[in-house]
Amino acid sequence: MTDRIEVLKTYKTYIGGKFPRSESERTYPVSDSKGNLIANACRCTRKDVREAVVAARASFDGWQGRSAYNRGQIIYRIAEILEGRKSQFTEELERTGTKTKNAVTEVESAIDRLIYYSGWTDKISQVFGTINPVASSHFNFSVPEPSGIVGIIAPDDSPLLSTISLLAPVLCGGNTCVIIASEKNPLPAVSFSEVLHASDVPGGVVNILSGYRNELVDSLTSHMDVNGILNAVNDENIVKLTEENGSINIKRVYHYTAENWLDEIHESPYIIHPFLEIKTTWHPVSS
Amino acid sequence: MADKLKETMPSNDVNGTPKPSSPNADTAEQITMLWEYSPAPESSEHISISDKYHHFIGGEWVHPEKGRYMTTINPATENKLAEFAEGTSEDVKRAVKVARKAYEKSWSNLSGKERGKYIFRLARMIQEKARELAIIESMDGGKPIRESRDVDVPLAAAHFFYYAGWADKLGYAFPGRKADPLGVCGQIIPWNFPLLMLAWKIAPALATGNTVVLKPAETTPLTALKFAEICMDAGLPDGVVNIVTGAGQTGAAIVNHPDVDKIAFTGSTEIGKIIQKSIAGTGKKFTLELGGKGPLIIFEDAPIDQAVEGIINAIFFNQGHVCCAGSRLLVQEGISEKLIKKLKDRMETLIIGDPLDKNTDIGAINSRSQYERIMKYLETGKNEGAEMYQTSGSLPENGYFCRPTLFTGVSQSNRIVQEEIFGPVLTIQTFRTPDEAIEKANNTPYGLASGIWTDKGSKIFKTGQKIRSGVMWANTYNKFDPTAPFGGYKESGLGREGGLHGLYPYVNLTPV
């Protein structure tokens, strides 16, 4: 009896609710900690970034327009589906060199983080919104709305948990996003797109690209239809580049780095806040 | 006669100060014939303006290092008002050093409560000097005394009063977080609301425990320098507030000074982008209040006279020198003709002239360069094929004055529709469906303010939700209050000023 030949997975991208390969048809090798090839990931280009931004924009009105309750349930649903695929993601993390025990903790924390943020969608207006007691005869209130499209630059460490820790608050606020996955460990994020796809997240709300950061960060951060950048890569050049490019259209640029993504300080409404716009509405009070 | 006419006027308690003349089209002509205004100028005899101002650094007047001075004029007469120091990077260095010292030695050691008491003092002293400040504001900037007296100065005082109260209550503003000051804030303000913008910048900065170096605009430095006198009178610790005057280069020196922790800028989107770029990678925090091209959406079911008053207030308030001005009128097709006729009639009644006259509705354009910029846009509009309408009547011989102007026959891609003119110039487009109105409203790079007129509440909320702007005025326009957050979406800026949200830009938050 011969050993069964394992079926290898082709890792693609996630754009507009579909799983295309990079338009460049180029890939780059992703290896485990010992240098063995795990898979060839898509080496996305400027054009893929543009496609992803178009998809994120197309889905923005719909996602923003859903009730907070509904958005909360969808984020909760992501957690439910991920719970059912714990072993898959534990294995994916192990393959990149994470020890089994740590891989299990990472996946479980990622699920819990989604649960945490799913509960915020219908509370941020109450925590960050205000009724303003203006001196004139007007009814006046301020509510948070999403900034729009947020570009997320994910780090290499804790590739699943970090991606989810960045993604969840952005979604929670009603934004749509384009994620540049870790260059070194892109596979967990790419596989996570399958979870998103199975979780009632409308196509285009989350878009995930893999590739070389020095090729993708510039395109994403200089795109005129991107409203914000959430960067979690602690690199002076990337910080400066994203801020400079941000000035082209007054992007909201927020850098967020973590020593340990497992830490519960990464569960906070103050991470949702940078990509909220406050809208103040006035109406006369009169008979 | 005047009393009798007043009775026939519709009440107007919704859209700001009652206007002295009627929006009623049928009687407009009659009124202008019957009711002429005698001059009612505010006396400027009791105000004091020095011939020459220096920087205000470390609680005293400091001569500029290079010894250069600039001149500020009254744009309504083109007469010189005073000279003021032109700040160089040496002056800025000196101011930042002093502000840093004040931050470390005195201001950050004060309890929130005591800090608040100083800010309350500032609020009270602005109220005490309200008349003088209002007159100087109108002389230096050209805005009607009615506005500086009833809007700019009272709101500036209210802003200090509001933020004074926050100083010892910051723990309640940020649940689960401790709020620490940032340090030295560099603040650069524009010429359209000089004292009010100073208040918007300085009040929250001081309340949260920061010290400031502020640069007023080069055409309107005087009320900031009068405010420096108030700081001295109030006994504010030296160096907590520093005023460095000058033009763009002085501003750049503040932005690029390595020991400034935060930049707050109000001005054009063009300069805002330069600032954001130049501080990239430095770790400085910043907030930007930039340009706008506010849409005014008038639905068919709007109370039309009220809407006309709202439009007048939206675009002609402060000569249209308002970042949140409603400069794009979007009117539903069925009422456009009627509305435009009423609007033109109402515009005819606007009194243009001496800013110090209490009857003046429209004062002087702030400076020659702004005047020229507006004139250029009028040319552009005509060249783009739009039809221009201006009110009749004479303008003062001296000074920079611009007639209230409408453009019809414009298209969405016209420059006069897309770009901020910052003058009394309104473009008019029509729409058929609410979706078309929303589409047009959102179709500029800006997102600062918008206005909606309709009698249907549900329509206000539906439309309001879909318009991407930081402020939404429904059945009113150009209202401001220290408790109400203000700021832009998209290229209109970043961050909020006013209200609880106005505290965020001035604090570092750490988990408790």
Side-chain angles (χ1 to χ4, degrees):
Chain A
M1 194 175 138
T2 55
D3 283 346
R4 180 177 175 272
I5 302 296
E6 199 185 355
V7 178
L8 295 177
K9 175 168 161 181
T10 308
Y11 286 85
K12 299 197 280 186
T13 73
Y14 187 50
I15 300 175
K18 296 194 164 61
F19 299 92
R21 289 188 169 84
S22 165
E23 64 83 28
S24 68
E25 299 187 332
R26 287 185 299 178
T27 58
Y28 72 104
V30 177
S31 313
D32 65 15
S33 52
K34 294 185 189 103
N36 302 319
L37 179 77
I38 309 173
N40 290 308
C42 288
R43 184 176 158 192
C44 291
T45 63
R46 171 179 287 264
K47 186 151 183 288
D48 294 313
V49 169
R50 285 203 300 255
E51 298 285 348
V53 173
V54 167
R57 178 57 67 193
S59 66
F60 175 67
D61 271 351
W63 181 243
Q64 174 191 218
R66 289 190 182 230
S67 69
Y69 176 41
N70 184 245
R71 270 190 274 121
Q73 288 184 101
I74 290 174
I75 296 172
Y76 188 87
R77 180 75 180 153
I78 306 173
E80 283 181 344
I81 303 289
L82 189 56
E83 180 82 31
R85 299 194 187 182
K86 266 198 300 201
S87 55
Q88 175 198 340
F89 282 90
T90 307
E91 274 175 39
E92 290 232 21
L93 289 173
E94 280 177 309
R95 229 179 298 156
T96 64
T98 312
K99 289 194 177 119
T100 308
K101 193 179 146 210
N102 294 346
V104 171
T105 314
E106 181 174 342
V107 176
E108 286 175 350
S109 298
I111 296 165
D112 290 352
R113 198 139 293 172
L114 286 162
I115 301 291
Y116 173 82
Y117 281 107
S118 74
W120 263 118
T121 56
D122 52 5
K123 292 160 197 77
I124 45 180
S125 294
Q126 290 177 317
V127 173
F128 292 128
T130 51
I131 302 269
N132 312 311
V134 296
S136 56
S137 185
H138 292 89
F139 180 57
N140 188 291
F141 60 93
S142 298
V143 291
E145 289 189 349
S147 294
I149 299 179
V150 177
I152 297 174
I153 306 169
D156 293 329
D157 49 327
S158 308
L160 180 70
L161 178 60
S162 65
T163 301
I164 287 171
S165 302
L166 300 165
L167 167 69
V170 165
L171 283 192
C172 189
N175 300 283
T176 60
C177 63
V178 176
I179 301 173
I180 299 178
S182 155
E183 180 174 324
K184 196 168 147 233
N185 299 314
L187 304 184
V190 174
S191 289
F192 179 63
S193 63
E194 294 154 19
V195 173
L196 293 168
H197 198 65
S199 311
D200 306 327
V201 179
V205 168
V206 182
N207 303 277
I208 301 177
L209 305 176
S210 59
Y212 294 153
R213 276 197 199 109
N214 64 8
E215 292 175 354
L216 297 176
V217 168
D218 188 38
S219 322
L220 181 64
T221 57
S222 61
H223 196 295
M224 288 297 280
D225 205 27
V226 171
N227 303 95
I229 296 292
L230 175 55
N231 166 44
V233 178
N234 195 3
D235 173 310
E236 242 175 63
N237 295 326
I238 288 182
V239 167
K240 184 143 195 269
L241 178 71
T242 51
E243 290 184 0
E244 272 181 2
N245 283 345
S247 73
I248 299 171
N249 60 338
I250 320 287
K251 284 185 185 76
R252 287 78 173 117
V253 180
Y254 188 64
H255 304 289
Y256 189 82
T257 49
E259 278 176 20
N260 178 6
W261 288 98
L262 293 169
D263 198 326
E264 276 190 15
I265 58 165
H266 304 303
E267 294 178 353
S268 159
Y270 294 98
I271 308 168
I272 306 172
H273 190 262
F275 302 106
L276 297 177
E277 302 294 325
I278 299 298
K279 178 185 273 179
T280 300
T281 301
W282 293 68
H283 196 280
V285 174
S286 63
S287 51
Chain B
M1 175 65 78
D3 283 343
K4 197 175 166 211
L5 276 170
K6 262 185 195 160
E7 281 168 25
T8 65
M9 288 179 205
S11 74
N12 176 34
D13 56 351
V14 175
N15 281 296
T17 322
K19 296 287 189 294
S21 47
S22 167
N24 187 325
D26 303 331
T27 56
E29 204 180 340
Q30 231 179 330
I31 286 168
T32 40
M33 282 192 314
L34 292 173
W35 196 0
E36 284 191 3
Y37 288 84
S38 305
E42 184 77 37
S43 164
S44 57
E45 275 168 18
H46 61 286
I47 64 149
S48 82
I49 301 177
S50 307
D51 293 337
K52 201 173 199 174
Y53 283 97
H54 316 293
H55 300 306
F56 177 67
I57 298 174
E60 56 186 12
W61 298 111
V62 173
H63 290 257
E65 193 100 0
K66 290 261 164 72
R68 286 200 300 262
Y69 288 81
M70 302 169 84
T71 301
T72 182
I73 64 158
N74 180 338
T77 60
E78 298 175 64
N79 294 332
K80 176 178 160 181
L81 289 172
E83 283 184 26
F84 62 94
E86 182 180 355
T88 55
S89 55
E90 285 84 1
D91 300 325
V92 169
K93 259 183 217 160
R94 185 168 182 167
V96 172
K97 199 171 164 193
V98 166
R100 173 65 58 193
K101 196 173 149 204
Y103 174 70
E104 282 165 3
K105 295 275 154 61
S106 63
W107 201 239
S108 61
N109 297 330
L110 270 184
S111 68
K113 191 172 207 168
E114 298 306 315
R115 228 166 47 219
K117 279 156 71 180
Y118 275 118
I119 306 168
F120 277 124
R121 276 192 196 176
L122 296 173
R124 284 310 222 191
M125 293 183 104
I126 290 173
Q127 289 176 327
E128 282 168 11
K129 304 231 169 181
R131 188 51 60 101
E132 187 184 12
L133 289 166
I135 294 167
I136 295 175
E137 200 75 301
S138 281
M139 291 172 73
D140 203 16
K143 65 170 62 206
I145 186 73
R146 192 163 48 78
E147 290 175 11
S148 47
R149 184 194 62 198
D150 298 345
V151 181
D152 293 64
V153 177
L155 271 179
H159 229 83
F160 278 103
F161 203 89
Y162 173 77
Y163 279 107
W166 268 123
D168 56 354
K169 300 169 192 68
L170 296 173
Y172 297 94
F174 310 103
R177 288 290 185 272
K178 181 171 178 292
D180 292 313
L182 302 173
V184 176
C185 301
Q187 307 181 315
I188 298 161
I189 58 171
W191 44 260
N192 55 346
F193 296 91
L195 185 69
L196 183 57
M197 290 302 106
L198 173 148
W200 282 28
K201 296 282 178 288
I202 292 183
L206 296 192
T208 45
N210 301 280
T211 59
V212 307
V213 175
L214 176 131
K215 186 196 87 67
E218 67 269 29
T219 61
T220 55
L222 294 182
T223 44
L225 294 162
K226 295 303 281 187
F227 178 78
E229 291 173 6
I230 289 176
C231 292
M232 286 194 263
D233 292 347
L236 193 70
D238 294 345
V240 171
V241 169
N242 304 279
I243 312 277
V244 176
T245 51
Q249 289 196 334
T250 316
I254 294 175
V255 168
N256 296 318
H257 193 295
D259 201 31
V260 169
D261 300 290
K262 184 226 153 71
I263 297 294
F265 171 77
T266 297
S268 70
T269 293
E270 186 191 354
I271 303 294
K273 289 179 178 180
I274 294 171
I275 291 176
Q276 189 176 0
K277 186 166 186 186
S278 56
I279 60 180
T282 63
K284 281 177 197 168
K285 278 200 158 198
F286 62 96
T287 37
L288 303 169
E289 296 285 359
L290 309 176
K293 195 74 184 172
L296 304 168
I297 301 176
I298 320 286
F299 286 107
E300 274 169 356
D301 56 10
I304 199 157
D305 289 332
Q306 213 183 78
V308 167
E309 282 311 303
I311 297 164
I312 295 282
N313 186 39
I315 184 60
F316 301 128
F317 177 60
N318 199 31
Q319 296 74 246
H321 300 328
V322 186
C323 50
C324 53
S327 51
R328 291 186 293 140
L329 178 61
L330 301 169
V331 53
Q332 202 156 13
E333 228 171 55
I335 55 161
S336 72
E337 243 174 75
K338 188 175 167 198
L339 182 95
I340 293 169
K341 180 172 185 313
K342 279 187 179 250
L343 183 59
K344 285 177 177 173
D345 288 340
R346 177 65 179 90
M347 282 164 66
E348 270 307 312
T349 68
L350 293 172
I351 300 169
I352 309 166
D354 181 7
L356 285 182
D357 192 309
K358 287 165 222 151
N359 291 324
T360 294
D361 295 306
I362 298 191
I365 299 302
N366 183 267
S367 65
R368 174 173 290 279
S369 73
Q370 184 58 24
Y371 176 79
E372 283 166 359
R373 188 182 149 89
I374 295 168
M375 291 303 132
K376 225 166 152 182
Y377 269 112
L378 298 187
E379 278 309 304
T380 304
K382 285 185 277 185
N383 293 338
E384 284 178 319
E387 193 182 319
M388 185 170 90
Y389 170 83
Q390 289 191 307
T391 56
S392 58
S394 59
L395 296 180
E397 271 177 32
N398 295 322
Y400 319 123
F401 291 91
C402 176
R403 287 195 173 82
T405 305
L406 302 181
F407 277 107
T408 49
V410 297
S411 66
Q412 190 71 34
S413 60
N414 284 168
R415 280 184 60 200
I416 54 167
V417 173
Q418 289 289 323
E419 297 174 18
E420 182 177 45
I421 298 174
F422 227 61
V425 183
L426 180 71
T427 62
I428 303 181
Q429 295 168 273
T430 58
F431 67 90
R432 288 183 181 172
T433 63
D435 283 347
E436 187 188 348
I438 291 162
E439 176 72 34
K440 284 179 169 165
N442 284 333
N443 188 349
T444 76
Y446 296 112
L448 190 50
S450 55
I452 300 173
W453 274 266
T454 166
D455 253 355
K456 206 172 170 197
S458 52
K459 209 187 265 179
I460 290 172
F461 289 114
K462 174 93 178 176
T463 315
Q465 274 175 358
K466 293 196 168 176
I467 291 185
R468 308 281 295 155
S469 71
V471 183
M472 209 277 281
W473 282 294
N475 293 328
T476 183
Y477 207 90
N478 271 341
K479 299 287 176 241
F480 308 93
D481 193 277
T483 67
F486 179 96
Y489 282 39
K490 301 197 288 185
E491 294 192 16
S492 281
L494 194 157
R496 292 295 176 269
E497 293 184 309
L500 186 157
H501 302 85
L503 294 168
Y504 275 90
Y506 290 98
V507 292
N508 255 334
L509 298 179
T510 44
V512 174

